[in-house]
Amino acid sequence: MTDTLTGPVPEADDAVPEFPMPRQSRCPFDPPPALKDLQSQGPLVKVRLWDGSESWLVTRYAEQRAILGDPRVSADIDKPGYPSKAFAEAGEGKLSFIMMDDPEHARLRRMVTGPFAVKKIEALRPAVQSIVDGLIDDMLAGSGSGPVDLVDVFALPIPSLVICELLGVPYEDHEFFQENTKTMVRTTATPEERSVASREVAGYLAGLLGKRIAEPKDDLLSSIAARITAGELDHEQATQMALLLLIAGHETTANMIALGTLALLQNPDQLKLLRETDDPKLVASAVEELLRYLHITHLGRRRAVIEDIEIAGQVIKAGEGVIMVNEIGNRDPEAFPDPDRLDITRDARRHVAFGFGVHQCLGQPLARMELQVVYGTLYKRIPTLKLAAPLEDVRFKDDAFIYGLHELPVSW
Ligand code: HEM
């Protein structure tokens, strides 16, 4: 693997805009202004990627859903035209079924859907509530009224504890897998650094799977291990599946907790509504609106076109790449009136923050439940929660595949 995200880009045709574009530092919750401009110009535009290759950027909500739901596109990073491999790879090789097409994608995904069903996830709500309450107790019992880094003491532990419990990964190893995950999703890491990080965690998970083959427990790793024993998965496939679940299970939700909290602190009227409500429907609605408004998987859903597709008067040819920037799909005024306003009372559930089509997020019931518990608890229990540094000093993750905050200093 020789691609890098930071290396020199070959000479570019000035007429073709480069993607990704920088955000405006004054508006850290908004998509880059250049992306919004492209959206107002039309639903499809050609862009140039880091490695100099060109791809179609799909800017509007309706077209994004149409293409993500179309079987003529492929999530396989080895297909000709797949938008810049380096851009997609969080580690080494294919990260299980998220980078596969049906029927193999469906076969593998089906093996792990059970624990993420809404009913199963609802049964975990009391346990998640007690994790959240316990961490808040620790914060309040700790260093007076702060400051503390909310990412470190709250946002990252919650989803990490939960996914560890579901998978059967020992939580005491969290620093090891969290640090390696950070490298895997950092766009400024070299491909070699990302590969090493990915191999480290894969090796660790392969070891745990081996133990579960010998001695099964009541956890998701054991049911994945049983598929190896049954000859339905080889060890490598099982390991990549566990890796996908571990990474997706903690890094995403952690960023939503921290970034969502900061967005609410910057929108005190919305925070007040949330703090003062006892209505679980309003809390659930706030979760959907924050997912829409913040859209942490900000570098777009990427696909290779495998058969010509005609859309919005344009033919996208087989062998070309498409990137659905759901971040601006969620800010499309045709789909969400007054899209740049954070309004937790709006019905935002149709957002595309979890993607769309066959690859739509498997963990969304879990992510939703965790965020509902967090957003419904934290600001009530610590009503005076505030940012403990100037906003300009907060470090946003412009350098990661998943947007969020490196730290969130808060006091109360
Ligand atoms: C706020 C939190 C989350 C966000 C914003 C999010 C977002 C996404 C998005 C946009 C996709 C689609 C990828 C694509 O189309 O290429 C996806 C897929 C996926 N997510 Fe999540 N996710 C979140 C939490 C989780 C959690 C907690 C898990 C639990 C393990 C999870 C597991 C997965 C898996 C396994 C896939 C691949 C699905 C497939 O390819 O069939 N996600 N996620």
Side-chain angles (χ1 to χ4, degrees):
M1 189 158 47
T2 52
D3 300 337
T4 103
L5 301 180
T6 47
V9 173
E11 259 182 45
D13 169 358
D14 285 344
V16 180
E18 280 180 25
F19 179 80
M21 293 97 170
R23 286 175 200 257
Q24 238 178 3
S25 55
R26 280 183 297 114
C27 308
F29 306 118
D30 288 343
L35 266 184
K36 296 282 286 177
D37 287 350
L38 291 180
Q39 184 181 60
S40 63
Q41 284 166 32
L44 287 168
V45 61
K46 274 268 173 86
V47 287
R48 189 175 305 284
L49 305 180
W50 275 293
D51 63 352
S53 65
E54 285 189 6
S55 181
W56 289 102
L57 202 73
V58 186
T59 64
R60 293 190 188 161
Y61 177 85
E63 284 78 9
Q64 288 179 356
R65 288 186 16 141
I67 296 181
L68 284 171
D70 195 315
R72 293 171 294 177
V73 297
S74 168
D76 181 345
I77 58 173
D78 290 331
K79 284 273 169 13
Y82 189 95
S84 179
K85 265 183 129 185
F87 192 20
E89 285 168 16
E92 201 183 46
K94 287 184 191 168
L95 194 56
S96 192
F97 53 87
I98 198 167
M99 293 179 183
M100 292 177 189
D101 299 327
D102 285 346
E104 184 63 357
H105 157 266
R107 184 182 82 89
L108 298 189
R109 179 172 166 135
R110 261 198 307 273
M111 291 181 185
V112 285
T113 45
F116 296 99
V118 173
K119 263 194 172 167
K120 286 264 169 64
I121 292 299
E122 273 311 306
L124 298 177
R125 191 181 283 265
V128 172
Q129 182 71 58
S130 87
I131 290 174
V132 168
D133 282 328
L135 291 169
I136 295 174
D137 289 343
D138 292 348
M139 265 169 74
L140 294 175
S143 46
S145 55
V148 297
D149 174 12
L150 197 79
V151 172
D152 189 41
V153 301
F154 189 73
L156 202 47
I158 295 164
S160 303
L161 275 159
V162 176
I163 197 68
C164 278
E165 182 62 27
L166 261 179
L167 278 170
V169 168
Y171 182 69
E172 57 265 30
D173 297 332
H174 68 276
E175 273 177 26
F176 159 76
F177 68 73
Q178 285 168 351
E179 276 311 305
N180 280 300
T181 302
K182 263 190 213 160
T183 305
M184 289 168 72
V185 301
R186 188 160 52 82
T187 54
T188 50
T190 63
E192 287 70 26
E193 285 169 330
R194 293 206 299 278
S195 275
V196 169
S198 150
R199 272 203 304 270
E200 285 276 326
V201 189
Y204 165 78
L205 290 169
L208 287 179
L209 283 166
K211 286 187 190 155
R212 293 301 196 283
I213 291 174
E215 217 178 300
K217 293 188 180 177
D218 184 18
D219 56 35
L220 193 45
L221 279 184
S222 299
S223 65
I224 296 174
R227 304 282 180 166
I228 305 178
T229 313
E232 295 169 25
L233 287 179
D234 64 27
H235 218 106
E236 176 59 22
Q237 288 171 314
T239 301
Q240 288 300 319
M241 193 184 269
L243 186 60
L244 169 62
L245 296 173
L246 181 62
I247 296 171
H250 78 279
E251 182 68 22
T252 48
T253 312
N255 282 305
M256 266 310 297
I257 293 173
L259 197 60
T261 298
L262 183 57
L264 287 165
L265 289 171
Q266 295 303 114
N267 287 271
D269 56 328
Q270 301 299 302
L271 180 56
K272 185 167 184 286
L273 282 179
L274 194 51
R275 192 192 293 125
E276 291 177 357
T277 187
D278 286 321
D279 180 1
K281 286 207 190 85
L282 182 59
V283 176
S285 161
V287 169
E288 301 310 319
E289 172 66 348
L290 283 158
L291 283 161
R292 177 196 76 83
Y293 182 74
L294 297 171
H295 200 93
I296 55 168
T297 57
H298 63 150
L299 296 186
R301 315 268 45 86
R302 294 167 293 277
R303 301 290 188 265
V305 174
I306 49 177
E307 252 181 68
D308 291 4
I309 296 177
E310 193 178 343
I311 186 156
Q314 178 70 50
V315 176
I316 308 180
K317 295 208 180 66
E320 292 188 313
V322 271
I323 303 175
M324 276 56 69
V325 230
N326 291 160
E327 181 183 21
I328 48 168
N330 278 337
R331 299 286 188 105
D332 182 344
E334 293 288 317
F336 301 99
D338 197 3
D340 297 330
R341 191 160 59 88
L342 177 70
D343 172 6
I344 65 166
T345 64
R346 82 162 85 214
D347 179 6
R349 219 184 139 89
R350 293 169 303 116
H351 64 70
V352 276
F354 289 125
F356 187 73
V358 292
H359 289 281
Q360 197 176 94
C361 181
L362 171 77
Q364 56 185 293
L366 174 59
R368 285 198 159 105
M369 184 270 281
E370 290 176 333
L371 294 173
Q372 287 165 8
V373 174
V374 167
Y375 295 157
T377 308
L378 178 63
Y379 322 117
K380 273 193 170 42
R381 289 219 35 212
I382 316 186
T384 55
L385 191 77
K386 58 177 187 290
L387 187 58
L391 184 63
E392 307 79 72
D393 292 353
V394 175
R395 291 194 308 138
F396 289 82
K397 289 186 176 170
D398 291 299
D399 58 346
F401 291 106
I402 300 171
Y403 193 56
L405 301 174
H406 288 286
E407 304 96 17
L408 179 58
V410 291
S411 56
W412 51 91

